[in-house]
Amino acid sequence: MAGIRDVAKYAGVSPSTVSRALSGIAYVEPEKKQKILDAVRILNYKPNLAARSLKKGGSKLIGLIIPDIMNPYYPEIVKCMETYATKAGYSMILCDALGDIEKEKEYFETLQNLFVDGILYIASTESVEHVKPFVGAIPMVVVNRTFDLDVPCINIDNVEAAYQVVHYLLENGHRDIAFIINDKDCQYNQERFQGAMKAMEEYGVEQKNEYVIRNIHSEDDAYEKTVELLQKENRPTAVFAFNDYMVFGIYQGIHELGLKIPEDISVIGFDDIPFVKYLTPPLTTLRHSLQDTAELVFGKLEEQMRTATCARQSNTYFCGKLIIRESVRKI
Amino acid sequence: MAGIRDVAKYAGVSPSTVSRALSGIAYVEPEKKQKILDAVRILNYKPNLAARSLKKGGSKLIGLIIPDIMNPYYPEIVKCMETYATKAGYSMILCDALGDIEKEKEYFETLQNLFVDGILYIASTESVEHVKPFVGAIPMVVVNRTFDLDVPCINIDNVEAAYQVVHYLLENGHRDIAFIINDKDCQYNQERFQGAMKAMEEYGVEQKNEYVIRNIHSEDDAYEKTVELLQKENRPTAVFAFNDYMVFGIYQGIHELGLKIPEDISVIGFDDIPFVKYLTPPLTTLRHSLQDTAELVFGKLEEQMRTATCARQSNTYFCGKLIIRESVRKI
DNA sequence: ACTATTGACGAAACCGATTTCATGACTTAT
DNA sequence: ATAAGTCATGAAATCGGTTTCGTCAATAGT
């Protein structure tokens, strides 16, 4: 492997000049510069990143901590971030934390050992404690959660989004609306619940307790609870799934009971993960793609990495967008 | 940040002893070792990986090159590999190559510069050239493609798998079978075609040319071509999609024409990506999950990394499994 | 014309862990 | 008891870019 000294020798200059010519931090005689560039090409010189990291104190590595790559909501985020990272000259280290606090903690530590230049943290756990030691120590941006720590957080406005969803159902004449809520009693579910209730209150509709289904752990769970719910005497006219993932199970349950969507029951989701548009019928759901905010997210991280400082608290909320398909009918 | 010299000073020994004590490559007086361990704990010493990489030429990093994380077939692989890597003390660098040879080449180079200890290459391109320079230079395992290079390749037996699929259709009385083939005229598609034809021949059925649809670039493409195909006078009784991704478009096209699956037309897929089981009706498809071979894949890589040698050519084929759901009817 | 300033460039120090080499203490063999 | 071998350990070289420092030459200023 050709090193900078080989290039220097070949071009008849010193290693320092090669370094300067390639980094562009100082003026180098055009003639020499050309010779250097030629030498680089001929010798196929590639700077040793380890050596560079060692001297400069960075690694050109970014850590991306996500809850679960198998959850179809995340691949898009990963791809987005990886694209930005690559464009900016960074490589991406992927950490799949499985929503496990211990695993997340381990990953934070590993990333610190690797001297990553920054961390993109797609939060899924409720704890704050295990993140604290790294706040202020490594440039970081938190996505999908709002921390009360000195970190920039970027999050969808869950209250507004859920309000939008339920408002749409109410506007379409639905009054008996079931909320299907996944297992974690976490920040975003609380906020979504809050937004949903706000819409109900505005319409003067009381939310029946038996229409609030919690602790759904999987699609199968969603399936079972849906069957249970819809066999009751007074079944709701619409169900609002707090995430799209559960909708697969919900659809299955509804089909199983011989009911039709949306004629017999309307379904609305949250996330707009890929493929819900291919369900029969295509799902109406709330999209909060990171596509639009990806630039902001990465920008915030990049600025910190560039200035080698950790940003203070700053919360950014973005709005979701209701994607109307065919799973909700007007009553 | 505490360095090895700080630890050495604190423990009253030399840096070399600290290094030896921590790596365990040589015997160190138990008493001193204890002091060193204490110093490490108290000073919260974390070895600088850049320095270590520079000297040792290794990094405890594994590069994972995949074609497209948005394609639902890959997240499972990524998760699997990441799990194994973490367990073995490696961090995973994710490279999303988008099926672009140039990008793949860049990633290979970046990974080499980063001194990754190994590369897991989920191949998608047809070219061999851009991979050659790295064969023998870095421990590598190739998945999903069989190279004629000195690299271990692990691949599904596409011929056998496609044979299985078409055999199943023939057994169910189908004779007019359309093949929907995605855009790339690549190895695995050729093999699948070969397997499909083998089954046809065994049943003495001739494959009509107009039933072979090629160059599908997206779901939308699949949708259009399906509509076109099924409006013909003699429409097939079954379609075999060479990958599940296209099935979403195919279903859409069939529904659009008011046809029913499987009553009017049977559909069979390939891959068993998540969610095809939630289609209406659930898709019968061929599963070739890496779950089962993941251990083998990672094992082959780990052995190379451990012995710091690159393995020679060795091809491993594994079998797919037909997952029978409800999208194929018996004629 | 002589000093001060600027600037391109090379020599050498540096980042921090590893590893080679040298040393001196201690053990074993004759 | 003396020579040879073993072994824990420290000093210093090393990995390969980057960067500081110093030099020498050319330009600017008085």
Side-chain angles (χ1 to χ4, degrees):
Chain A
M1 261 291 232
I4 200 169
R5 287 166 169 91
D6 302 311
V7 175
K9 200 180 291 175
Y10 193 95
V13 297
S14 75
S16 5
T17 305
V18 175
S19 177
R20 281 188 274 253
L22 295 179
S23 70
I25 60 164
Y27 179 83
V28 174
E29 208 74 17
E31 194 193 342
K32 288 184 181 169
K33 189 161 184 172
Q34 193 50 54
K35 270 191 186 166
I36 292 170
L37 258 27
D38 290 343
V40 165
R41 197 165 28 75
I42 292 165
L43 300 174
N44 190 30
Y45 165 73
K46 295 272 155 44
N48 181 320
L49 295 184
R52 180 176 289 173
S53 294
L54 175 58
K55 179 64 184 176
K56 305 233 289 188
S59 58
K60 287 287 166 184
L61 254 31
I62 293 176
L64 175 62
I65 301 180
I66 58 168
D68 181 13
I69 189 69
M70 295 278 279
N71 180 329
Y73 176 65
Y74 295 108
E76 189 191 4
I77 299 183
V78 172
K79 189 184 205 84
C80 256
M81 292 304 148
E82 209 264 352
T83 306
Y84 277 106
T86 304
K87 217 182 295 175
Y90 293 88
S91 294
M92 184 113 256
I93 298 199
L94 184 73
C95 306
D96 198 329
L98 298 158
D100 179 341
I101 294 182
E102 274 313 306
K103 245 178 157 340
E104 271 194 3
K105 203 167 140 187
E106 264 175 49
Y107 275 127
F108 270 111
E109 279 171 4
T110 305
L111 292 176
Q112 193 174 46
N113 285 355
L114 280 170
F115 288 87
V116 296
D117 291 333
I119 294 180
L120 281 167
Y121 176 38
I122 320 287
S124 63
T125 61
E126 270 312 278
S127 162
V128 196
E129 285 310 312
H130 70 295
V131 183
K132 265 188 185 164
F134 306 95
V135 168
I138 306 176
M140 194 186 326
V141 173
V142 177
V143 178
N144 266 4
R145 195 182 184 308
T146 307
F147 275 122
D148 193 20
L149 298 172
D150 265 345
V151 188
C153 300
I154 293 171
N155 202 348
I156 181 183
D157 186 341
N158 280 297
V159 176
E160 200 278 333
Y163 172 84
Q164 229 183 111
V165 168
V166 175
H167 184 269
Y168 175 76
L169 291 175
L170 289 161
E171 217 175 27
N172 277 277
H174 295 275
R175 290 297 178 269
D176 297 308
I177 304 171
F179 299 162
I180 314 279
I181 306 173
N182 53 317
D183 64 331
K184 274 173 281 165
D185 189 28
C186 53
Q187 197 185 35
Y188 64 78
N189 272 340
Q190 281 172 24
E191 290 167 0
R192 288 175 198 179
F193 187 76
Q194 199 183 319
M197 291 307 287
K198 188 177 141 210
M200 296 295 268
E201 278 158 25
E202 263 187 35
Y203 270 72
V205 182
E206 206 180 329
Q207 175 66 9
K208 296 199 189 90
N209 249 335
E210 69 257 41
Y211 286 172
V212 179
I213 316 289
R214 293 178 189 273
N215 296 314
I216 306 289
H217 298 273
S218 64
E219 300 128 85
D220 290 339
D221 237 18
Y223 162 78
E224 280 170 31
K225 293 278 173 58
T226 302
V227 170
E228 202 176 291
L229 171 74
L230 299 183
Q231 281 177 330
K232 280 187 185 151
E233 199 139 318
N234 299 318
R235 64 159 192 256
T237 64
V239 308
F240 168 23
F242 273 39
N243 73 46
D244 278 1
Y245 207 60
M246 298 183 295
V247 169
F248 295 106
I250 294 173
Y251 264 51
Q252 222 177 12
I254 294 172
H255 288 145
E256 189 104 339
L257 291 171
L259 299 173
K260 299 210 86 180
I261 308 171
E263 291 80 357
D264 299 317
I265 183 148
S266 295
V267 179
I268 198 161
F270 200 107
D271 286 348
D272 193 32
I273 60 178
F275 309 112
V276 291
K277 68 175 170 192
Y278 295 115
L279 286 171
T280 318
L283 183 71
T284 293
T285 186
L286 192 124
R287 176 185 297 171
H288 56 112
S289 159
L290 259 183
Q291 286 281 22
D292 317 314
T293 39
E295 196 167 340
L296 177 69
V297 171
F298 194 81
K300 284 209 181 225
L301 187 66
E302 220 214 338
E303 198 199 317
Q304 293 180 66
M305 296 192 298
R306 192 157 27 81
T307 60
T309 52
C310 295
R312 305 295 301 271
Q313 164 95 39
S314 77
N315 295 333
T316 311
Y317 293 95
F318 61 92
C319 282
K321 182 170 186 284
L322 194 63
I323 306 294
I324 295 171
R325 298 202 183 96
E326 301 162 30
S327 64
V328 174
R329 75 153 182 149
K330 202 173 180 76
I331 296 186
Chain B
M1 256 306 222
I4 200 170
R5 285 163 231 273
D6 301 310
V7 174
K9 200 180 291 176
Y10 192 96
V13 297
S14 76
S16 1
T17 307
V18 176
S19 177
R20 283 189 272 254
L22 295 179
S23 70
I25 60 163
Y27 180 83
V28 173
E29 206 78 17
E31 195 193 342
K32 288 183 182 170
K33 189 162 184 170
Q34 192 51 55
K35 271 192 185 164
I36 291 169
L37 259 26
D38 289 343
V40 165
R41 197 166 25 75
I42 292 165
L43 299 174
N44 190 31
Y45 165 73
K46 299 273 159 43
N48 181 321
L49 293 187
R52 178 178 290 173
S53 294
L54 175 59
K55 180 66 184 169
K56 304 229 294 187
S59 59
K60 285 288 168 184
L61 255 28
I62 293 176
L64 175 61
I65 300 180
I66 57 167
D68 180 13
I69 189 69
M70 295 277 279
N71 180 329
Y73 176 65
Y74 295 107
E76 188 190 6
I77 299 182
V78 172
K79 190 186 203 85
C80 257
M81 292 305 150
E82 208 264 353
T83 306
Y84 278 107
T86 304
K87 218 182 292 175
Y90 293 89
S91 294
M92 183 113 255
I93 297 196
L94 184 72
C95 305
D96 197 329
L98 297 157
D100 179 342
I101 294 183
E102 275 311 307
K103 243 176 157 345
E104 269 193 5
K105 204 167 142 190
E106 265 174 50
Y107 276 127
F108 269 112
E109 281 172 1
T110 305
L111 292 176
Q112 192 173 47
N113 286 354
L114 279 170
F115 287 92
V116 295
D117 292 333
I119 294 180
L120 282 166
Y121 177 36
I122 320 288
S124 65
T125 62
E126 270 312 277
S127 162
V128 197
E129 285 309 312
H130 69 296
V131 183
K132 264 186 185 165
F134 307 95
V135 168
I138 306 176
M140 193 182 333
V141 172
V142 178
V143 178
N144 266 4
R145 195 183 184 308
T146 307
F147 276 121
D148 193 22
L149 299 172
D150 263 345
V151 188
C153 300
I154 294 170
N155 202 349
I156 180 183
D157 185 339
N158 279 298
V159 177
E160 200 277 335
Y163 171 85
Q164 227 182 110
V165 168
V166 175
H167 185 269
Y168 175 75
L169 291 176
L170 289 161
E171 217 174 28
N172 276 275
H174 295 275
R175 290 297 177 270
D176 298 307
I177 303 172
F179 299 163
I180 314 278
I181 306 173
N182 52 317
D183 63 331
K184 272 173 284 165
D185 189 31
C186 53
Q187 197 185 37
Y188 63 78
N189 273 341
Q190 281 172 23
E191 290 168 0
R192 287 175 199 179
F193 187 78
Q194 199 184 318
M197 291 308 288
K198 188 177 143 208
M200 296 294 268
E201 278 158 26
E202 264 187 35
Y203 270 73
V205 182
E206 204 181 328
Q207 175 65 10
K208 297 200 187 88
N209 250 335
E210 69 258 39
Y211 286 173
V212 179
I213 317 288
R214 293 179 189 274
N215 296 315
I216 306 289
H217 297 272
S218 62
E219 300 127 87
D220 290 338
D221 237 17
Y223 161 77
E224 280 170 31
K225 294 278 174 57
T226 302
V227 170
E228 202 176 292
L229 171 74
L230 298 185
Q231 280 177 330
K232 281 189 185 148
E233 200 138 315
N234 299 319
R235 65 160 191 254
T237 63
V239 309
F240 168 22
F242 274 37
N243 73 46
D244 279 1
Y245 208 61
M246 299 183 293
V247 169
F248 295 106
I250 294 173
Y251 263 52
Q252 223 178 11
I254 294 173
H255 288 145
E256 189 103 337
L257 291 171
L259 299 172
K260 299 209 85 179
I261 310 169
E263 290 81 356
D264 300 315
I265 182 144
S266 294
V267 179
I268 199 161
F270 201 107
D271 284 349
D272 193 32
I273 59 178
F275 310 111
V276 292
K277 68 176 168 190
Y278 295 115
L279 285 171
T280 317
L283 183 72
T284 292
T285 186
L286 192 124
R287 175 184 297 171
H288 55 113
S289 159
L290 259 183
Q291 285 282 21
D292 317 316
T293 38
E295 195 166 340
L296 177 68
V297 171
F298 194 81
K300 285 211 178 221
L301 187 66
E302 219 214 339
E303 198 198 319
Q304 292 182 65
M305 297 192 296
R306 192 159 26 79
T307 59
T309 53
C310 295
R312 303 296 301 269
Q313 165 94 38
S314 77
N315 295 334
T316 312
Y317 293 95
F318 60 93
C319 282
K321 182 170 187 281
L322 195 62
I323 305 295
I324 296 170
R325 298 206 181 93
E326 301 162 29
S327 63
V328 174
R329 76 157 183 146
K330 203 175 180 77
I331 295 186

